Amino acid sequence: MSLKPVPSVIGKKSEMEEERCKMKKGLVLEGGAMRGLFTAGIIDVMMEHGVEPNGLIGVSAGAAFGCNYKSRQPGRALRYNKRFAKDKRYCSWQSWWKTGDLYNAEFGYHVIPTQYDIFDDKAFEANPMAFYAVCTDVETGNAVYKQLTEATPLTYDWIRASASMPLASKVVELEGMKVLDGGVADSIPLEYFESIGYKKNVVILTQPDGYVKEHNKLMPLMRIALRKYPKMIEAMDKRHLMYNKQLVYVYEAEKAGRALVIRPEKSLPIGHISHDPEEMQHVYDIGHETGKRYIEAIKCFYE
């Protein structure tokens, strides 16, 4: 007696496989200032292996370094940070005193990418990968998710705003909004990316497993510096609660198989600010080695 296949079962399986292939593949990059060089090392490996997510969302350093993924420029984030590590025009207290920005806005986001380490505007615009930068609206305390498609001075400023840390930066005014560091309102925007259709996400964190964020010890200074923006003060005051809740969400997504999460094995040996090229290289190398260990898992996860 011959056995005939069951069309409904076979058809259902085929539909499931087709649906799985249609799932948008996302890349979620946490911030962390110079810890972001760990992330830069990982995404450089991904670029070197031709991994092409459908969309990338970056917060703070995740946006500032992640934009090089869309412009297909591995190595660029490390290169310019090392080159200008000791340059007072790039990051210095002199810059903060004169301009209100520790990381000089004009030099860092308009001079370097157009004169010294050229950002590939054409490649950025040609790459179909969607790119989002996260900022915080200081008047509402809410997250702003800005999709950036064109490589223009305004785009550079949105990326700058995403990485503009309170106290270290002045409020950035863009398109009728006043914004600062996206990490204040949404440090790990996995839930947002899932909500707009990215169902398979690689999430790169810059803190090790088990990390718990504590209440900001600089809140007294924050209350003074941001006194015009009570909603921003409220968001800053509760940031540690938001962040730790997001870590739980990421863990649950990882456990459910919706996310592949990559973390450093231990605390990264670098502070928010660094003027040491060797220290930068070391953290990048940790990320690059981590990327090489994970690359096959990333490819498999995205299939």
Side-chain angles (χ1 to χ4, degrees), residues 26-290:
L27 179 59
V28 179
L29 307 181
E30 181 186 11
M34 295 311 293
R35 294 197 310 273
L37 288 172
F38 168 80
T39 302
I42 295 172
I43 63 176
D44 281 358
V45 173
M46 293 172 68
M47 281 189 273
E48 290 160 4
H49 284 258
V51 176
E52 297 286 347
N54 301 116
L56 182 160
I57 187 165
V59 181
S60 195
F65 299 163
C67 64
N68 296 296
Y69 206 132
K70 186 168 171 62
S71 66
R72 304 180 191 276
Q73 291 178 279
R76 183 174 177 271
L78 175 67
R79 187 170 61 239
Y80 72 74
N81 272 289
K82 288 177 63 177
R83 178 178 177 181
F84 296 103
K86 299 180 185 295
D87 194 318
K88 293 180 181 179
R89 296 173 297 172
Y90 181 50
C91 174
S92 66
W93 291 112
Q94 289 91 331
S95 171
W96 182 78
W97 182 257
K98 291 179 181 179
T99 71
D101 292 304
L102 188 65
Y103 282 87
N104 188 285
E106 179 63 24
F107 185 75
Y109 290 90
H110 296 284
V111 175
I112 289 177
T114 60
Q115 298 181 28
Y116 291 110
D117 200 318
I118 309 299
F119 186 71
D120 194 333
D121 294 344
K122 291 183 179 179
F124 182 91
E125 294 178 354
N127 190 339
M129 180 180 70
F131 177 80
Y132 294 79
V134 185
C135 298
T136 300
D137 185 326
V138 300
E139 294 182 315
T140 66
N142 297 328
V144 176
Y145 306 97
K146 182 68 176 180
Q147 184 175 4
L148 302 168
T149 58
E150 298 179 345
T152 64
L154 180 60
T155 286
Y156 295 166
D157 279 331
W158 273 108
I159 293 171
R160 168 171 71 93
S162 180
S164 292
M165 298 178 290
L167 293 184
S169 310
K170 60 186 178 184
V171 172
V172 184
E173 297 189 29
L174 295 171
E175 300 185 87
M177 286 185 282
K178 296 180 179 180
V179 290
L180 280 174
D181 184 358
V184 174
D186 194 348
S187 297
I188 313 169
L190 173 61
E191 186 173 5
Y192 172 76
F193 230 32
E194 289 183 335
S195 76
I196 61 170
Y198 292 89
K199 302 302 183 182
K200 292 177 67 66
N201 291 285
V202 172
V203 181
I204 302 179
L205 304 180
T206 57
Q207 295 285 10
D209 192 20
Y211 173 79
V212 177
K213 184 175 282 296
E214 298 180 354
H215 187 254
N216 194 325
K217 296 178 181 179
L218 296 178
M219 277 310 301
L221 290 177
M222 296 288 184
R223 294 182 191 281
I224 296 171
L226 297 168
R227 58 189 177 278
K228 295 180 181 179
Y229 309 108
K231 292 295 185 180
M232 184 66 171
I233 292 174
E234 183 180 348
M236 288 290 303
D237 198 33
K238 296 180 179 178
R239 185 188 177 189
H240 64 298
L241 302 176
M242 174 274 296
Y243 183 88
N244 293 331
K245 184 178 179 180
Q246 287 190 326
L247 286 179
V248 173
Y249 187 90
V250 169
Y251 173 77
E252 290 175 347
E254 181 181 28
K255 189 175 179 181
R258 304 195 315 270
L260 173 62
V261 184
I262 305 175
R263 311 168 176 86
E265 293 183 350
K266 56 185 178 180
S267 296
L268 294 167
I270 197 167
H272 277 78
I273 302 166
S274 176
H275 298 288
D276 185 346
E278 291 185 4
E279 185 177 61
M280 294 176 181
Q281 181 71 56
H282 180 51
V283 171
Y284 173 88
D285 288 344
I286 294 172
H288 201 267
E289 288 301 313
T290 301

